[in-house]
Amino acid sequence: MRGSSPGGCPSWRAWGKKPRPRRSFTSEFKAEIVELCRRGDRSVGQIAKDFDLTETAVRDWVKQAEVDAGERDGLTSSEREELAALRRENRRLREDVDILKRATAFFAKETR
């Protein structure tokens, strides 16, 4: 199928728009955007448009701020950071174990 990615979703070429490059924002900037949303002067969509952000990103920031404030269930930002760090460490340790298994097998074969 022309204009489709392997997953079946239309590629950016089919829509005529290039994907936006991934950007990162400081926690201070996110907090300011969340505060603007909480004030209620403008809609989330309008704030997103005014700051050239995606509405989804702004909604996610608001939701995460509510979790961090204890107003909503979910993992707090610090819990998310800890989970990510533990997953990285777990992946590294699994790689270490795999290397040791291969080395053990190699040396066991060499000593026969």
Side-chain angles (χ1 to χ4, degrees), residues 30-49:
K30 291 178 185 180
E32 287 179 32
I33 297 297
V34 168
E35 183 56 36
L36 287 173
C37 292
R38 286 189 171 172
R39 275 193 221 147
D41 300 341
R42 294 180 278 178
S43 69
V44 171
Q46 188 59 52
I47 292 170
K49 194 179 291 185

Side-chain angles (χ1 to χ4, degrees), residues 19-89:
R20 176 185 288 203
R22 188 159 184 90
R23 300 180 294 171
S24 61
F25 302 95
T26 65
S27 53
E28 292 82 9
F29 177 76
K30 291 178 185 180
E32 287 179 32
I33 297 297
V34 168
E35 183 56 36
L36 287 173
C37 292
R38 286 189 171 172
R39 275 193 221 147
D41 300 341
R42 294 180 278 178
S43 69
V44 171
Q46 188 59 52
I47 292 170
K49 194 179 291 185
D50 290 349
F51 288 88
D52 190 31
L53 303 167
T54 65
E55 198 169 330
T56 303
V58 174
R59 288 189 191 285
D60 287 346
W61 296 348
V62 170
K63 189 176 0 175
Q64 188 61 53
E66 290 170 352
V67 170
D68 291 346
E71 301 166 1
R72 179 189 279 249
D73 287 339
L75 293 177
T76 64
S77 295
S78 60
E79 290 169 333
R80 283 180 184 278
E81 289 171 13
E82 181 182 13
L83 181 59
L86 289 171
R87 285 180 174 162
R88 279 192 302 273
E89 181 181 8

